[in-house]
Amino acid sequence: MAGNRTFTMLKPDSIESGNIGNILQMISNAGFEIKAMKLTQLSEDRAKKFYEVHKERPFYGELVEYMTSGPIIAAILEKDNAVEDFRTLIGATDPAEAADGTIRKLYAESKGRNAVHGSDSDENAVIEGNFHFEASELV
Ligand code: IDP
Ligand code: MG
């Protein structure tokens, strides 16, 4: 994935609120190409593992409960400078702090229920992509 791929999840709130079409359109309009995508639901064990880095944080339990509360869409996206550009497109973790025009500003409900995930480094993009997809599922 060396620099040109990132990993995203459209989180349960974006599916519940009916915004996945709008969000995928924004991702496409920003120049990202979808290399893999699936509708799936995280088990408690898998959500705990995905967010293990946050296990000491006070919101960890709430985060795992929310991320297992309904289906998600997992996807691998390609674009030059994918990780950084996608973080710019989604905006700050808390929608109250997210820039105008970002996905979280438009569609996130709160700091916890914040519509989308975006990898924070090239290394984590690879780890997270591999967590959700087999090599054979990539185009
Ligand atoms: P990020 O998704 O913008 O990278 P992180 O700090 O890595 O943000 O946190 C991971 C996820 O944990 C967030 O996207 C959000 O869903 C949840 N989260 C982060 N901080 C809080 C909080 O203070 N309260 C509730 N949930 C939080
Ligand atoms: Mg993060």
Side-chain angles (χ1 to χ4, degrees):
M1 282 196 207
N4 66 346
R5 287 191 174 189
T6 191
F7 171 78
T8 187
M9 293 182 289
L10 308 195
K11 298 182 177 184
D13 61 298
S14 60
I15 294 186
E16 274 171 39
S17 60
N19 284 317
I20 54 173
N22 293 328
I23 292 170
L24 289 172
Q25 187 69 63
M26 286 182 71
I27 291 170
S28 175
N29 288 349
F32 292 89
E33 200 179 315
I34 297 167
K35 306 307 285 186
M37 185 162 73
K38 71 170 80 161
L39 180 74
T40 184
Q41 187 156 348
L42 289 168
S43 65
E44 187 180 334
D45 280 356
R46 276 178 59 77
K48 281 183 172 163
K49 193 165 173 222
F50 188 89
Y51 284 110
E52 197 161 21
V53 63
H54 295 304
K55 69 171 183 284
E56 306 301 337
R57 309 281 287 276
F59 59 81
Y60 183 63
E62 179 191 333
L63 175 61
V64 169
E65 193 177 332
Y66 154 59
M67 287 302 296
T68 56
S69 68
I72 60 160
I73 288 175
I76 293 173
L77 305 173
E78 190 168 281
K79 182 186 180 298
D80 289 348
N81 202 35
V83 165
E84 191 185 346
D85 286 1
F86 194 72
R87 296 286 302 198
T88 301
L89 178 67
I90 69 178
T93 308
D94 185 344
E97 290 163 18
D100 284 348
T102 59
I103 291 173
R104 284 170 166 168
K105 180 71 171 193
L106 287 165
Y107 299 118
E109 291 174 21
S110 64
K111 191 174 186 182
R113 294 170 61 87
N114 62 357
V116 278
H117 169 81
S119 303
D120 62 8
S121 65
D122 289 346
E123 187 192 1
N124 283 334
V126 174
I127 292 168
E128 293 171 0
N130 289 342
F131 184 88
H132 284 272
F133 294 98
E134 306 288 331
S136 61
E137 294 178 286
L138 285 151
V139 297

